[in-house]
Amino acid sequence: MIEFNFLIPIEDTIFLFSAALLLISAVLVIELRSHVYAAFFLEMVGLANAVLFALQGLALIAIFQLVVYVGATVTFILFSVLMFKEAKPVKPRFKLLDLLIGAGIAGLLAVGAFSIYKVSPTAGKPSLDVTLPEKIVSEYGLALFLVFFTLLTTLIEALVLARREVSS
Amino acid sequence: MGLLTNLVDHLKAIGTGLKYLIPRRLTLMYPEYVEKLPEGYRGYLRYDNEKCIHCSLCARICPANAIKMYRGGDKKLRPGINYTRCIFCGFCADICPTGALEYTTIQDIAYEKLEDQVYPPEKFAKGVPQPVYPEKPIFIIAKVDEERGLKYDRV
Amino acid sequence: MYDLINYLWETGLNLLFSPEIFEPLVFPGLIAAFSLLIVVIWLERKIAAIIQMRYGPYYISRHTEGALQLVADLLRFLFSEVIIPKSVDKIAYVLAPIILFAFTFLPIVVIPVSKDFAAIDHEYSLLIALALMTLYSSFLLIVSWASNNKFSFIGGLREGFLSLSYEIPLIISALSAAVLFDSFNLIEIVEKQAAMGWGIFYNPLAAIVFLVVIIYSTSRYPYEIAEAESEIVIGPFTEYTGILFGLGMGISYIKLYSMSLLYAVLFLGGWEPVVWPLNLHPVLPGIILFIKAFIIVAFSVFLRAVYPRYRIDQALRIAWWKLFTLAFLSLLFSYGIKIIEVMG
Amino acid sequence: MINPYLYLLISSVLFGIGVYGILSKRNMIRMLLSAEILFNSALLALVSFTSYTKNVYGYFLVFLAVGIAAAEVGVLVSLAILLYRRRGDIDVMEVDKLKG
């Protein structure tokens, strides 16, 4: 094994890259005309988000996000969107107000987060990642069961809804 | 228990596949090996100009309209054949009252152009076209075998 | 001057043989995968031909029964023109198969070759491999949509249906192996198997389910529904030509290869047993892993000659009723074994 | 080590984008996608807080959130499919005309 001495800080590069991917894909999700592309870029949002989770040291959450959210949920959305016809072109509305509202909320959140959050870099990775599986099974078994139950019931609900034939 | 019998069935299918994994090929490697066809095979037709009595029965019986009668220089009707239409049913050879039309066992002939396959009476009478092989082929005969179904023997 | 060359040579060699470079690029990564691709596609055609009493590929390199057929095919793919039809979505049409190929390839990087030789040695490496495998279907959907062709679209929708149903048994049966060996780390799982015995003997149910899911998800024969040749040409890759089509044809085989590697690690004892000539270098045990994976791959392609194709509703019913329940049962089975171990 | 505040900043910007999307679009699918962006931003904030405080409860919250979101998406998409089947259109401004 040899040690790599990177000239560029690798972690910062990954962070910048995935943050840029996240924000650009989010804008594309909203602004692209094609629904399929929008769903695809939602997948990119989920992917970049998972990378950001992993960067913060929460590998298990990142994997869970990748499997459940990106792998299953967004694929399901993409799959369903493929079945719709392409949207007919709508005439552009006046959207500056919405833009201002969005920007205002974002600013408020950022300022609020800044005031709550005492900016002091923490050192080291969280060590609780190792104990998590045991803790889930031992202490939060009921919650886990409830999540599975909810998932299953909503899945069945979704299937029933989608299967129902149009009566008229 | 349906699941268990299902599994057994799948295993049986895979076992059958494994059993056939020993090479016992039926395919003929064609240009190197050529099958010698048995008597009575309905291949390309041989036309005998001398025996023909110009009755045009062959053209009438032909179900694919492959045979057409041409009036030659001697004002007599003679058959010509179009092999793009011929279905090699052999009706013409069967109905021919004098045996001027006969089957041959030749069947593997390649043409460059579609027009080459039309045989007016003069060309038809010249004889059957012969197949061309890239090298000298090994002739073999197909035989029915009790175990394998089909077997090839060298001539 | 000589010193400089020597230094560069040594660092270069070190860099090449460091796991981070060697594993994705050479073995079991790109080069090994490509050579396996060439051998396996030839083997698939040859096995199907032999079972159906034919010859199969023969005329290119007659002395080796046409083993170089796929090299010739690959050359033809490389040099034939890539035609981009007018009606396709050009960016997605060109980029999606390439990205799909890259994503199909990624899980191999996580899979360790031996105890001291892994590109990524993470405590959740099994889960990372599974998570990367689940990304396959959405890119395939994009590929099928971008072609703007009836057949590729139907193929993509079929793959979507199948992927929603095979992912759950895949993850659960892999997790039951993780429960059995009490670890998510692939290296640790193999170490435990070296001590206890192979996973397939402890939990045959999970092994069977995982094997069926491998065949299911890489569209090998009884489940060759997404690229059913006789119904929808070649599924999502109908509109593709040239090297892009070559990529598309290889993708399912690469996926088969990566899943087979995972199967060998989880259930067939990975690179164990490490005998004499193999312990000289940490890469060498990978040969055993490769052989085990190759057997799985060869078995999967052999099924082409055995089975006809399921209809999509039959395949979905199998996935949701049988595989799903069997996967859950295998998870319970693993927990049972753990309980017996703790008690005894 | 990246300043943890950066993650929150990204999350806020993402939330703003999501709000803009949900306000400006009238297509149901597009609104659903915007809502998913909102969900992603909330998740990112939750994760960065968890990573900062190293509190194990944050983990469970994130797990539950991802799981429930997956379920919710299933229901919403099938509602959209149902709507599409009935009306041949997925414009939310037209839904109030739905009868029967």
Side-chain angles (χ1 to χ4, degrees), chain D residues 16-28:
Chain D
I17 294 171
V19 167
Y20 164 69
I22 236 170
L23 286 177
S24 64
K25 300 290 181 232
R26 12 188 286 165
N27 188 293
M28 184 163 173

Side-chain angles (χ1 to χ4, degrees), chain C residues 102-270:
Chain C
F103 268 98
T104 322
F105 201 76
L106 271 182
I108 296 178
V109 176
V110 187
I111 293 165
V113 165
S114 78
K115 199 166 56 185
D116 331 301
F117 203 84
I120 296 171
D121 182 15
H122 195 268
E123 51 185 330
Y124 297 124
S125 50
L126 167 63
L127 291 178
I128 294 174
L130 288 176
L132 292 175
M133 275 169 192
T134 54
L135 296 178
Y136 170 80
S137 58
S138 53
F139 285 99
L140 199 70
L141 279 174
I142 289 292
V143 169
S144 74
W145 171 79
S147 299
N148 194 11
N149 174 300
K150 204 188 295 169
F151 296 121
S152 39
F153 190 64
I154 292 171
L157 286 189
R158 286 180 174 192
E159 172 62 30
F161 270 117
L162 294 181
S163 79
L164 287 177
S165 52
Y166 71 66
E167 271 170 13
I168 299 169
L170 167 70
I171 288 169
I172 293 174
S173 57
L175 283 188
S176 62
V179 166
L180 191 63
F181 301 113
D182 212 5
S183 170
F184 287 124
N185 188 337
L186 291 173
I187 294 180
E188 265 179 43
I189 286 176
V190 174
E191 299 279 284
K192 288 250 174 68
Q193 286 184 69
M196 289 162 61
W198 290 5
I200 192 169
F201 300 124
Y202 275 89
N203 196 344
L205 204 56
I208 289 173
V209 172
F210 202 99
L211 186 62
V212 175
V213 169
I214 287 178
I215 295 160
Y216 200 114
S217 62
T218 53
S219 90
R220 297 268 71 80
Y221 233 80
Y223 305 102
E224 199 232 23
I225 295 163
E227 7 184 284
E229 253 175 78
S230 48
E231 294 166 16
I232 47 171
V233 194
I234 187 115
F237 292 98
T238 304
E239 282 285 353
Y240 283 88
T241 40
I243 190 63
L244 286 176
F245 176 75
L247 275 184
M249 204 177 76
I251 278 170
S252 73
Y253 289 94
I254 296 286
K255 197 185 178 202
L256 178 63
Y257 171 56
S258 65
M259 290 183 90
S260 303
L261 280 175
L262 193 62
Y263 187 85
V265 167
L266 284 181
F267 295 107
L268 299 182

Side-chain angles (χ1 to χ4, degrees), chain A residues 1 36-37 43 67 79 82 129, chain C residues 89 92 124 138 145 153 171:
Chain A
M1 301 256 180
V36 178
Y37 268 126
E43 181 159 351
V67 173
F79 180 51
L82 279 177
D129 218 30
Chain C
D89 193 313
Y124 297 124
S138 53
W145 171 79
F153 190 64
I171 288 169

